[in-house]
Amino acid sequence: MTATVAEQTGARVRQTYYWRVRNARTRHRPESAAQAWHIQPGHPGGAYSDLGHGLDPPAHHAPTLLSRSRPTGLRWEKQEFRAGCLACGWEGPVHFGDGFGDGDNEAVEDAHDHAFPGWRTLPPITTVEDRWVLPRSPSRWAQFIARYPAGWVEQGAPVVAWHRHRREAHRPPYAERPRYQLHVPRPPRARNHRPADQEALF
């Protein structure tokens, strides 16, 4: 009886294997590379990411997004997403969706639950204009991040912003903004109660 080799996990290991498939260094066809778990392009550690990743893992948990496509037997493929960490082998549960906020958002949130538990309590940016203005104003930015837990800013904790529509995709870090921008629902507005004497008229 032969022993089964356990599948290696972790964003960095997955990305290395993905490139081995793409470069025809495995028994799999290079064109099948997209079916292997890999870091989603544009996310930390993945292709086309401004941030890339170094040879050594970061000293702290660092969120990223893993994805793969799965053949359905029809003309299209199904997308799967899961959270990854650039510092350890942890991975989140699999989410299904089309991307652009569907399936990928849930996985990115899982990654932040792992790297920055409690991130949902961070102060939110409440206007679309401030998404651009606030990080570019040193005084306003310093005032904003003063409410973050100690050490989080240096480790790349996310910026939280109220979303513009129900399924607005989370934005990965890039050169000018080295942290995720996560979009959360705007809290419901409190209902205005009519004065008691006005209510008596109806």
Side-chain angles (χ1 to χ4, degrees), residues 17 28 41 59 85 105 136 146 150 153 160 183 198:
Y17 182 75
H28 302 291
C85 180
N105 269 8
R136 290 175 170 81
V153 172
V160 176
H183 304 120
Q198 186 179 9

mmCIF file of all heavy atoms in Angstrom, residues 17 28 41 59 85 105 136 146 150 153 160 183 198:
data_model
loop_
_atom_site.group_PDB
_atom_site.id
_atom_site.type_symbol
_atom_site.label_atom_id
_atom_site.label_comp_id
_atom_site.label_asym_id
_atom_site.label_seq_id
_atom_site.Cartn_x
_atom_site.Cartn_y
_atom_site.Cartn_z
ATOM 1 N N TYR A 17 3.858 26.475 -7.132
ATOM 2 C CA TYR A 17 3.414 25.325 -7.922
ATOM 3 C C TYR A 17 2.707 25.782 -9.200
ATOM 4 O O TYR A 17 2.904 25.208 -10.274
ATOM 5 C CB TYR A 17 2.488 24.433 -7.098
ATOM 6 C CG TYR A 17 2.043 23.209 -7.855
ATOM 7 C CD1 TYR A 17 2.927 22.144 -8.063
ATOM 8 C CD2 TYR A 17 0.765 23.119 -8.387
ATOM 9 C CE1 TYR A 17 2.537 21.022 -8.776
ATOM 10 C CE2 TYR A 17 0.368 22.003 -9.108
ATOM 11 C CZ TYR A 17 1.259 20.964 -9.299
ATOM 12 O OH TYR A 17 0.874 19.862 -10.027
ATOM 13 N N HIS A 28 1.405 18.162 -15.516
ATOM 14 C CA HIS A 28 0.180 18.799 -16.008
ATOM 15 C C HIS A 28 0.476 19.682 -17.219
ATOM 16 O O HIS A 28 1.568 20.240 -17.345
ATOM 17 C CB HIS A 28 -0.465 19.639 -14.904
ATOM 18 C CG HIS A 28 -0.804 18.852 -13.677
ATOM 19 N ND1 HIS A 28 -1.795 17.906 -13.652
ATOM 20 C CD2 HIS A 28 -0.263 18.860 -12.432
ATOM 21 C CE1 HIS A 28 -1.871 17.368 -12.447
ATOM 22 N NE2 HIS A 28 -0.941 17.926 -11.684
ATOM 23 N N PRO A 41 -4.312 37.387 -9.757
ATOM 24 C CA PRO A 41 -3.540 38.519 -10.279
ATOM 25 C C PRO A 41 -4.030 39.850 -9.705
ATOM 26 O O PRO A 41 -5.228 40.087 -9.575
ATOM 27 C CB PRO A 41 -3.796 38.445 -11.791
ATOM 28 C CG PRO A 41 -4.043 36.990 -12.038
ATOM 29 C CD PRO A 41 -4.799 36.510 -10.822
ATOM 30 N N ALA A 59 7.073 38.953 8.476
ATOM 31 C CA ALA A 59 7.151 38.556 9.889
ATOM 32 C C ALA A 59 5.780 38.534 10.551
ATOM 33 O O ALA A 59 5.654 38.137 11.707
ATOM 34 C CB ALA A 59 8.082 39.503 10.637
ATOM 35 N N CYS A 85 -2.598 33.451 3.164
ATOM 36 C CA CYS A 85 -1.695 34.271 3.975
ATOM 37 C C CYS A 85 -0.290 34.107 3.413
ATOM 38 O O CYS A 85 0.143 32.993 3.137
ATOM 39 C CB CYS A 85 -1.748 33.838 5.444
ATOM 40 S SG CYS A 85 -0.661 34.787 6.524
ATOM 41 N N ASN A 105 -15.000 38.622 -2.572
ATOM 42 C CA ASN A 105 -15.118 39.488 -1.392
ATOM 43 C C ASN A 105 -15.119 38.683 -0.096
ATOM 44 O O ASN A 105 -14.442 39.025 0.878
ATOM 45 C CB ASN A 105 -16.400 40.323 -1.464
ATOM 46 C CG ASN A 105 -16.184 41.663 -2.150
ATOM 47 O OD1 ASN A 105 -15.124 41.921 -2.710
ATOM 48 N ND2 ASN A 105 -17.189 42.504 -2.117
ATOM 49 N N ARG A 136 -4.105 61.012 1.123
ATOM 50 C CA ARG A 136 -3.149 61.971 0.570
ATOM 51 C C ARG A 136 -2.959 63.194 1.456
ATOM 52 O O ARG A 136 -2.165 64.069 1.142
ATOM 53 C CB ARG A 136 -3.601 62.398 -0.828
ATOM 54 C CG ARG A 136 -3.483 61.300 -1.866
ATOM 55 C CD ARG A 136 -4.058 61.741 -3.206
ATOM 56 N NE ARG A 136 -3.737 60.803 -4.262
ATOM 57 C CZ ARG A 136 -4.370 59.665 -4.503
ATOM 58 N NH1 ARG A 136 -5.394 59.324 -3.726
ATOM 59 N NH2 ARG A 136 -4.010 58.867 -5.480
ATOM 60 N N ALA A 146 -4.921 56.996 13.928
ATOM 61 C CA ALA A 146 -4.650 57.016 15.372
ATOM 62 C C ALA A 146 -5.612 56.098 16.115
ATOM 63 O O ALA A 146 -5.334 55.679 17.244
ATOM 64 C CB ALA A 146 -4.760 58.442 15.905
ATOM 65 N N ALA A 150 -2.430 49.244 17.956
ATOM 66 C CA ALA A 150 -0.983 49.441 17.852
ATOM 67 C C ALA A 150 -0.353 48.412 16.921
ATOM 68 O O ALA A 150 -0.623 47.218 17.027
ATOM 69 C CB ALA A 150 -0.344 49.347 19.235
ATOM 70 N N VAL A 153 -1.105 49.470 11.452
ATOM 71 C CA VAL A 153 -0.829 50.279 10.258
ATOM 72 C C VAL A 153 0.466 49.805 9.599
ATOM 73 O O VAL A 153 0.534 49.619 8.378
ATOM 74 C CB VAL A 153 -0.757 51.777 10.610
ATOM 75 C CG1 VAL A 153 -0.290 52.593 9.413
ATOM 76 C CG2 VAL A 153 -2.119 52.268 11.087
ATOM 77 N N VAL A 160 -11.142 50.679 5.735
ATOM 78 C CA VAL A 160 -12.544 50.273 5.619
ATOM 79 C C VAL A 160 -13.353 51.465 5.109
ATOM 80 O O VAL A 160 -13.178 52.586 5.588
ATOM 81 C CB VAL A 160 -13.092 49.796 6.983
ATOM 82 C CG1 VAL A 160 -14.563 49.459 6.894
ATOM 83 C CG2 VAL A 160 -12.291 48.590 7.475
ATOM 84 N N HIS A 183 -14.845 47.197 1.556
ATOM 85 C CA HIS A 183 -16.104 47.932 1.508
ATOM 86 C C HIS A 183 -17.151 47.229 2.368
ATOM 87 O O HIS A 183 -17.408 46.037 2.192
ATOM 88 C CB HIS A 183 -16.567 48.057 0.059
ATOM 89 C CG HIS A 183 -15.530 48.693 -0.816
ATOM 90 N ND1 HIS A 183 -14.986 48.067 -1.915
ATOM 91 C CD2 HIS A 183 -14.891 49.878 -0.708
ATOM 92 C CE1 HIS A 183 -14.085 48.847 -2.460
ATOM 93 N NE2 HIS A 183 -14.004 49.957 -1.751
ATOM 94 N N GLN A 198 -48.509 64.829 16.704
ATOM 95 C CA GLN A 198 -48.825 64.606 15.289
ATOM 96 C C GLN A 198 -49.364 63.195 15.100
ATOM 97 O O GLN A 198 -50.276 62.969 14.310
ATOM 98 C CB GLN A 198 -47.578 64.843 14.443
ATOM 99 C CG GLN A 198 -47.878 64.777 12.937
ATOM 100 C CD GLN A 198 -46.642 65.032 12.110
ATOM 101 O OE1 GLN A 198 -45.541 65.087 12.643
ATOM 102 N NE2 GLN A 198 -46.809 65.169 10.821
#
